[in-house]
Amino acid sequence: MTDQKLRVRRAAVLGSGVMGAQIAAHLTAAGIPVDLFDLPSDDKQRSKIAAGGIQNLLKLKPAPLASKDLAQFITARNFDDDLEQLAHCDFIIEAIVERMDIKKSLYEKIGPHIHDDAFFVTNTSGLSITELSGVVPQALQSRFCGVHFFNPPRYMHLVELIPHEGTDSAVMDQLEEFLTRNLGKGVVRCRDTANFIANRVGVFTMWSTMHHAQRLGLGFDTVDALTGPAIGRPKSATFRLADVVGLDTMANVIRTMDAKLADDPWHHLFKAPEWLSKLIEAGALGQKAGAGVFRKEGRDIKVFDPETGEYRATDYSIRDEVKAILAIKDPGEKLAELAKCEYPETEFLWAIHRDLFHYCAHHLAAIAESAREIDLAMRWGYGWKMGPFEQWQAAGWRKVACLIEEDTEAGKAEVDVVLPKWVGDVDGVHGPGGSYSGATNEVSPRPDLAVYRRQYQPVRLLGEATPDGQTLHETDAIRLWTLHDDVLIASLKTRMGVIENGVVDGLNVALDKAEAEFDGLVIWQPQGPFSAGANLKAAAEAIQRGDFDSVRSLVAGFQAVNLRMRYAAVPSVAAVRGLALGGGLELAMHASRRVAHLESYLGLVEAGVGLLPGGGGLATLAMQINADTAAGDTYPLLEKRYKQVAMGQVAGSALEAKEMGYLRPEDLVVMHEHELLHAAHGVVRALTAAGYRPDLAGRTVPAAGDVGVATLKMLLVNMLEGHFISEHDFEIGSRIATVICGGEIDRGTPVNEDWLHHLEREHFLELCAMPKTQERIGHMLKTGKPLRN
């Protein structure tokens, strides 16, 4: 290897099935054009199968493509006519059927066409990398390994990286950097063992859960009520997850574990239960078949009852005594209460945790470099809030170990196997210096690759060192801090980053400090969304009291601090990830620049609660429309932007946000969310180095005026007459039109931001006073869903 970094100018994906096509889609989001290969067709269109895979990307939900326009950068190819195209590809990933003989045939066929510095990897989820390397042409072996994406590849953070003995260590480092920096993934290196790490632990957990549910006679719906958010796992829990994965896929995975893990002490669990075989035979394969463990009948969701072989109504209720135990905050106290096994539900929960901890401790040395890899794999691949070792450590390492040993000695445990000796030699597996390695019996530090130095605030496991920077000012609403450098960071502390008076006051303090002492300001959230908008609950309470003065004060104050940031003497950067809705997006729109993670969802959504943007969002759009169409007709862009706001459209990615104008051409899209802070600091320093000067305040633009308002209202009239919108939708839409067009004034009249902000405030407050808007706000607070009244 002559290059220290993996520079991928073009990639190839071999196999255009659901997984291969989605990997191709994610590569395009990283700016990498892709050749998507599959078998040739007898049709005149020889690459018809791969072309079908590309077309399918446009239909899948959630959307694999960060922007539909990216589909044009995936080229359909076939294995007979286009292999010479592989010579132009730097990264080649195989994602064909999981059969060794077919893979061997393909590898031999493509080997001569791959250039000397290209990386050739497989996305296999079950086959041995070592066995596969044996059928890889000799010239490719040092650059061959497993790169296992999780489904769906765009959204799942985890990628498992699995070498064989002949894989060049430099290749592993380069791939880890590429997957992290360019594709935004969380990379976990695995040993070449059955199902690698996440599926080894995750599938074991599912089968252990199913075993104990059947043993204790718990319904599948009850199990899902107990094994979802109640214990820090996703809503899909256990049986809903099985339906999503596919019951036939689950059966295949368990057959693999049964065949390959005959020496596993828990091998007896790796058997498909009778009810699973019956559902598969009946074609009830899960979500893809419309029925599995769960089935929708009309508006009702029914659950399969293995006792009767029929579907019945779901019941997710949990007895109060169990709820009380699950509500205990202290992890050690909670687990100890579960271990008393006073109810079937608590016995079940203790058993699945006990087995999980025991299993991970027993297999640690064999499947992972350290406990860190197992915990990160379960967080990133299965969406657990804490990995198994973290949960154990949080509950008291030695205390839990004693409980497991007591059950083992009493014959209550699932296996007659003692905990490994190392468990008694440590007080936990994660500490400031790293994580325990079962193979070396030492602490394994985090990898020191250059790419991780770009992650100023990475995910930390329980017990690891968590440097938090230097706090300069802190309230209940905001924290102002630094990384001991020349850039001030503002982090909102309100739930979901909502905007309220304390945030506005804190931003004013931030601007005071930034202009006096720093080179610039970054707004960044350490966790959760950038901002979900204004504090709707506080606004609703003020409206109910008739205290419209406090609402006016918040709106005016928010507008003022946004304008102050836009025209500050130092640059500001909004580092956006997750939701930036309503006021949250307006805050970002007023920064000098925006740096957004690919998975950022931006929108001015106030119409959904009967309001319009009141923090300068419409004023900013009006100014932008004029700037973007200075030499032409503004109406087409005006109509497009108006519809976005009136319909509450939300960008499905940062790339879509650029298409919608919420991110500007000069704004950056970052693939890895934990590099946002690094990128934002870089933008501040680049602007400062170039002698940053803000735009001049007071700029005027010609208003679309009464002609623009009338034209936009015609759209609303047609929708109202077609019963697509309600009369209150018409009212809201009319006011949005009035503001974005600069009011009912002559077309071409010069207007500035102050005038547009005045219009925003007045129409916002008038809408607040309307009963139907108040109904919408109340409904949103109560249900989390918009009301169309």
Side-chain angles (χ1 to χ4, degrees):
M1 298 291 164
T2 57
D3 193 356
Q4 291 301 306
K5 293 188 182 294
L6 175 52
R7 304 294 187 188
V8 177
R9 297 164 183 84
R10 191 172 189 88
V13 178
L14 312 181
S16 65
V18 172
M19 198 65 184
Q22 289 191 86
I23 292 171
H26 191 63
L27 286 163
T28 64
I32 300 170
V34 181
D35 290 317
L36 182 61
F37 284 79
D38 215 306
L39 296 169
S41 170
D42 293 334
D43 197 278
K44 288 182 180 179
Q45 186 185 356
R46 293 277 288 164
S47 300
K48 185 176 181 178
I49 296 174
I54 298 169
Q55 286 302 308
N56 195 44
L57 291 173
L58 301 171
K59 305 171 188 175
L60 286 175
K61 298 292 181 184
L65 291 160
S67 166
K68 288 187 176 181
D69 287 347
L70 292 175
Q72 66 184 300
F73 298 104
I74 307 175
T75 304
R77 305 286 190 190
N78 72 78
F79 292 131
D80 280 3
D81 305 328
D82 302 315
L83 290 184
E84 70 277 2
Q85 298 298 328
L86 291 173
H88 307 293
C89 298
D90 307 303
F91 177 76
I92 301 160
I93 181 166
E94 170 267 305
I96 65 171
V97 65
E98 295 281 70
R99 275 182 51 182
M100 188 72 70
D101 57 334
I102 297 177
K103 289 181 188 288
K104 180 178 187 296
S105 176
L106 177 64
Y107 293 0
E108 290 172 347
K109 192 172 185 177
I110 66 175
H113 300 278
I114 298 176
H115 72 74
D116 291 344
D117 289 326
F119 290 73
F120 177 47
V121 303
T122 175
N123 185 58
T124 183
S125 60
L127 297 181
S128 164
I129 304 302
T130 300
E131 289 182 34
L132 282 172
S133 70
V135 299
V136 170
Q138 186 65 37
L140 300 177
Q141 289 196 1
S142 67
R143 304 191 307 283
F144 177 77
C145 65
V147 173
H148 180 215
F149 285 85
F150 276 64
N151 191 20
R154 172 183 163 186
Y155 301 96
M156 295 303 291
H157 191 56
L158 177 63
V159 169
E160 292 179 318
L161 188 58
I162 314 102
H164 63 93
E165 285 188 4
T167 306
D168 189 329
S169 61
V171 166
M172 293 292 287
D173 289 348
Q174 289 171 301
L175 278 170
E176 185 164 354
E177 294 223 7
F178 168 71
L179 293 165
T180 303
R181 181 186 65 248
N182 297 81
L183 301 189
K185 296 303 175 185
V187 176
V188 168
R189 295 198 189 191
C190 307
R191 303 197 193 285
D192 185 18
T193 55
N195 289 0
F196 311 133
I197 292 178
N199 282 340
R200 177 72 175 270
V201 174
V203 173
F204 166 79
T205 302
M206 291 182 73
W207 291 108
S208 169
T209 298
M210 292 178 184
H211 166 75
H212 289 297
Q214 187 168 2
R215 178 176 66 84
L216 293 164
L218 298 179
F220 297 158
D221 43 355
T222 299
V223 170
D224 274 11
L226 293 169
T227 58
I231 58 171
R233 297 180 189 172
K235 291 180 180 179
S236 52
T238 300
F239 290 102
R240 174 65 184 139
L241 177 59
D243 272 354
V244 171
V245 171
L247 300 188
D248 52 340
T249 302
M250 291 294 300
N252 288 335
V253 169
I254 205 63
R255 277 195 291 269
T256 299
M257 294 181 75
D258 181 33
K260 293 189 174 183
L261 300 173
D263 294 333
D264 192 310
W266 286 265
H267 180 261
H268 64 283
L269 294 181
F270 305 151
K271 306 288 183 185
E274 186 178 343
W275 62 263
L276 180 63
S277 301
K278 285 183 178 179
L279 286 174
I280 293 173
E281 288 171 9
L285 304 180
Q287 182 174 277
K288 59 188 174 185
V293 174
F294 295 94
R295 183 173 74 186
K296 189 171 185 181
E297 297 181 6
R299 293 187 177 183
D300 298 325
I301 302 294
K302 301 290 184 72
V303 61
F304 183 73
D305 187 336
E307 293 296 319
T308 65
E310 303 292 335
Y311 286 87
R312 61 166 175 78
T314 51
D315 180 6
Y316 293 103
S317 62
I318 303 172
R319 69 176 82 204
D320 291 341
E321 295 87 349
V322 176
K323 282 183 183 177
I325 294 173
L326 290 173
I328 296 172
K329 298 295 184 184
D330 181 77
E333 182 184 349
K334 181 190 299 185
L335 211 59
E337 287 296 318
L338 293 175
K340 292 178 182 178
C341 302
E342 294 180 342
Y343 308 98
E345 297 91 337
T346 55
E347 181 179 348
F348 163 77
L349 286 169
W350 162 243
I352 65 172
H353 282 90
R354 176 199 65 210
D355 290 358
L356 171 64
F357 299 157
H358 198 169
Y359 192 82
C360 290
H362 182 85
H363 290 294
L364 173 59
I367 68 174
E369 167 62 28
S370 75
R372 174 178 55 251
E373 282 71 33
I374 290 179
D375 280 351
L376 290 178
M378 298 316 295
R379 278 189 178 209
W380 294 341
Y382 276 72
W384 293 7
K385 286 187 177 179
M386 298 177 74
F389 284 117
E390 286 183 285
Q391 295 172 48
W392 184 347
Q393 187 165 323
W397 185 263
R398 294 187 181 277
K399 182 178 179 181
V400 173
C402 287
L403 290 172
I404 296 172
E405 288 172 345
E406 287 173 7
D407 271 15
T408 303
E409 291 171 2
K412 296 179 181 178
E414 202 54 43
V415 294
D416 185 20
V417 177
V418 298
L419 287 169
K421 180 180 179 301
W422 67 262
V423 171
D425 296 336
V426 300
D427 291 319
V429 290
H430 303 304
S435 300
Y436 177 80
S437 169
T440 65
N441 198 33
E442 295 177 349
V443 170
S444 171
R446 286 225 175 196
D448 190 33
L449 296 176
V451 69
Y452 294 121
R453 294 172 212 145
R454 298 159 59 95
Q455 298 182 13
Y456 295 163
Q457 296 280 299
V459 169
R460 294 294 181 187
L461 298 170
L462 180 77
E464 286 191 301
T466 54
D468 290 327
Q470 179 184 9
T471 299
L472 303 180
H473 173 83
E474 189 166 16
T475 67
D476 290 340
I478 199 167
R479 178 190 178 216
L480 306 182
W481 58 288
T482 74
L483 293 169
H484 305 280
D485 58 15
D486 51 2
V487 177
L488 182 64
I489 304 168
S491 297
L492 310 189
K493 293 173 59 181
T494 52
R495 186 175 181 273
M496 299 286 286
V498 296
I499 310 296
E500 57 187 34
N501 285 320
V503 169
V504 172
D505 294 342
L507 289 172
N508 275 308
V509 174
L511 289 166
D512 289 342
K513 287 185 173 294
E515 289 187 312
E517 305 170 36
F518 295 91
D519 284 348
L521 172 67
V522 168
I523 304 173
W524 176 83
Q525 303 298 85
Q527 293 180 343
F530 178 77
S531 172
N535 187 335
L536 203 57
K537 184 173 184 292
E541 290 171 351
I543 291 169
Q544 287 178 347
R545 296 193 306 270
D547 184 8
F548 290 96
D549 286 343
S550 67
V551 179
R552 178 184 292 275
S553 175
L554 174 59
V555 172
F558 186 43
Q559 288 179 332
V561 78
N562 280 341
L563 283 181
R564 186 182 171 197
M565 181 167 62
R566 174 172 288 167
Y567 299 114
V570 294
S572 56
V573 176
V576 179
R577 61 173 165 175
L579 299 177
L581 301 178
L585 175 53
E586 291 176 296
L587 176 62
M589 291 170 78
H590 284 81
S592 311
R593 295 287 189 277
R594 285 137 297 278
V595 174
H597 179 228
L598 178 70
E599 300 308 331
S600 296
Y601 312 109
L602 290 71
L604 295 173
V605 297
E606 288 87 348
V609 289
L611 297 169
L612 52 72
L618 290 175
T620 298
L621 285 180
M623 305 291 279
Q624 286 178 357
I625 290 165
N626 183 264
D628 292 345
T629 56
D633 182 8
T634 61
Y635 182 75
L637 186 58
L638 172 64
E639 180 182 326
K640 183 178 181 181
R641 298 291 182 255
Y642 167 75
K643 285 181 177 178
Q644 289 173 193
V645 181
M647 298 173 69
Q649 294 175 2
V650 177
S653 72
L655 297 183
E656 284 190 6
K658 281 204 166 192
E659 296 167 7
M660 296 173 72
Y662 293 146
L663 296 179
R664 306 298 290 160
E666 64 272 17
D667 293 335
L668 301 180
V669 176
V670 176
M671 293 297 289
H672 201 296
E673 62 177 319
H674 297 305
E675 292 188 10
L676 271 178
L677 203 51
H678 166 82
H681 275 64
V683 172
V684 166
R685 294 193 175 107
L687 291 171
T688 301
Y692 176 77
R693 292 290 184 274
D695 290 337
L696 293 172
R699 185 184 304 277
T700 62
V701 297
D706 49 7
V707 175
V709 173
T711 307
L712 294 177
K713 278 189 176 181
M714 282 303 300
L715 298 173
L716 295 174
V717 169
N718 292 335
M719 295 182 73
L720 183 63
E721 291 179 349
H723 304 288
F724 295 109
I725 62 173
S726 68
E727 290 188 3
H728 195 53
D729 290 325
F730 183 89
E731 178 72 32
I732 300 161
S734 297
R735 291 174 179 271
I736 292 171
T738 300
V739 175
I740 202 169
C741 291
E744 298 275 4
I745 57 179
D746 291 341
R747 182 179 183 179
T749 302
V751 296
N752 60 19
E753 284 176 306
D754 287 342
W755 169 250
L756 293 169
H757 280 201
H758 163 73
L759 289 176
E760 278 188 357
R761 280 195 307 276
E762 297 310 309
H763 284 283
F764 183 94
L765 288 162
E766 288 172 14
L767 284 169
C768 282
M770 295 182 178
K772 286 190 179 296
T773 286
Q774 294 171 18
E775 289 173 12
R776 289 193 179 194
I777 293 173
H779 189 269
M780 176 63 75
L781 289 171
K782 184 177 181 179
T783 69
K785 298 178 181 179
L787 171 68
R788 307 314 295 254
N789 56 350

